[in-house]
Amino acid sequence: MNLQSLFKDFNPSKFVVHTCLLIFIALFALRLDQAVTWSYWCVFTPIWVWKTLVIAGATIGSYIWWRYPHFRLESEAYIHYKSMLISLALHLILLMFELLVCDKLESGRHLWILVFIPLIFISIVSIAVCIWAVKHDRSFELELFCAVNVLQFIFLALRLDQFIHWSWEVVFVPLWIVMCLSLVGVLYTIIFAGILLRTPEVNAHQRRKGFQSAVGYTFLVIPILIFQVLLANKLDNDITITYIAVVSPLFVSFVTLILMSFSAKGGNRWWFGIRKDFCTFILGACPLLQEYANIAYHSERRTNGVEMQQTEKREHNVLKKADLLKPVLPIISIEMPD
């Protein structure tokens, strides 16, 4: 085990977001099942932690940006900083939506269509953000999720306010379409991984990466599809199961996302003003880890004297055979004139 290789491609932002969402979904399902009677403000605690980290990280990063102007000369510093500000703006609008949802669940004094207005606004703005992110090679998972689900958010708000009386299977039609496209992507990754495994010209690292991607996306998409089916049937009263059972497939998806965050790479270097990879930063901040990071543990099979002697004999025979197969060239004598 090598600590440095473990955190080399670690993306702390995705790790924090997915962990907070996993805890929140579990608490929210327990609250809907009346297994816990906490206030919704307490149930949303993981969401508040997530948003607090975002605001604190952007604030510290902005302070360092303006306090030390020479840091702006670093490569892609302006792109990273602008990306951080865009992400902060979207998270603040998302925070407004979450506050309205929490207040609606506690008091019920708003229409759901009013609650969803910030989320619909984010979905529209996210289209432009996705285009900007593609041009500057930045990650845009959250923005893409909002952009492709804008119609779904509208349907949810109208259905919750009883403006439409469709079944929940019909309400989730936009999400069914997204999931179908995701299944096509999963099928593509599986086929591509199979091709890599059967291609001798591909090295072992590429084969392993392709196989890991196929497994990861499979365990990500399939549980979400199962959750969607269970949720639609639960809301239509076609099945009688608890909400914690409904969301249980999501636990598999979020655990997969958490594990994938250790190989996600990327990440904005200006969060909290660290200006470097997370691995380099954490090793610099914790000197004790530097010594441990340089230690790698290997499990090797010990060989006794007889096995070593047999191995040496085989190597000697291979070398001897190679010498016999060498071509014999005639000796050419070149006479030098006096």
Side-chain angles (χ1 to χ4, degrees), residues 257-291:
L257 288 172
I258 292 172
L259 294 177
M260 291 174 66
S261 66
F262 285 90
S263 60
K265 296 184 179 181
N268 197 313
R269 299 183 178 183
W270 274 95
W271 289 111
F272 292 95
I274 61 177
R275 301 183 300 104
K276 58 186 71 174
D277 294 333
F278 179 78
C279 178
T280 307
F281 172 76
I282 198 68
L283 292 178
C286 303
L288 294 178
L289 292 177
Q290 293 183 5
E291 183 177 356

Side-chain angles (χ1 to χ4, degrees), residues 109-261:
R109 56 188 172 187
H110 306 293
L111 290 175
W112 281 107
I113 192 64
L114 297 178
V115 173
F116 273 82
I117 285 178
L119 192 58
I120 296 172
F121 177 75
I122 289 178
S123 301
I124 298 173
V125 174
S126 294
I127 299 174
V129 176
C130 289
I131 297 174
W132 181 88
V134 171
K135 291 175 60 178
H136 295 87
D137 194 22
R138 305 302 305 162
S139 61
F140 52 96
E141 288 87 352
L142 177 62
E143 293 81 2
L144 181 62
F145 173 80
C146 295
V148 300
N149 287 298
V150 56
L151 189 60
Q152 182 64 77
F153 298 147
I154 296 174
F155 283 1
L156 283 175
L158 295 176
R159 180 63 176 83
L160 290 172
D161 283 332
Q162 300 296 321
F163 288 120
I164 57 177
H165 300 280
W166 304 339
S167 67
W168 284 98
E169 292 180 351
V170 178
V171 172
F172 286 140
V173 164
L175 199 54
W176 296 124
I177 297 174
V178 174
M179 293 308 301
C180 289
L181 296 177
S182 301
L183 287 176
V184 173
V186 170
L187 183 61
Y188 168 77
T189 57
I190 294 175
I191 295 175
F192 185 70
I195 293 174
L196 291 180
L197 290 176
R198 298 182 63 87
T199 304
E201 292 81 5
V202 179
N203 57 42
H205 177 71
Q206 291 176 332
R207 293 179 183 177
R208 184 170 60 253
K209 293 292 288 185
F211 177 76
Q212 291 175 352
S213 298
V215 173
Y217 287 121
T218 301
F219 280 92
L220 175 63
V221 174
I222 300 300
I224 295 178
L225 181 61
I226 297 174
F227 158 75
Q228 187 176 343
V229 173
L230 292 176
L231 181 61
N233 291 329
K234 170 68 175 178
L235 295 176
D236 285 332
N237 296 320
D238 293 334
I239 55 176
T240 55
I241 59 175
T242 60
Y243 280 102
I244 194 65
V246 171
V247 302
S248 57
L250 286 182
F251 297 157
V252 178
S253 296
F254 277 107
V255 170
T256 303
L257 288 172
I258 292 172
L259 294 177
M260 291 174 66
S261 66

Side-chain angles (χ1 to χ4, degrees), residues 2-58:
N2 193 315
L3 184 65
Q4 189 169 2
S5 63
L6 178 64
F7 286 98
K8 181 180 179 181
D9 299 329
F10 178 62
N11 192 316
S13 301
K14 293 183 179 181
F15 178 82
V16 171
V17 172
H18 298 149
T19 303
C20 290
L21 288 176
L22 174 62
I23 299 173
F24 165 71
I25 289 174
L27 293 177
F28 191 70
L30 292 174
R31 179 65 175 82
L32 293 177
D33 289 332
Q34 300 296 321
V36 295
T37 56
W38 302 344
S39 168
Y40 280 103
W41 297 101
C42 296
V43 172
F44 276 67
T45 298
I47 302 297
W48 311 142
V49 172
W50 169 19
K51 296 303 183 294
T52 301
L53 290 175
V54 170
I55 296 173

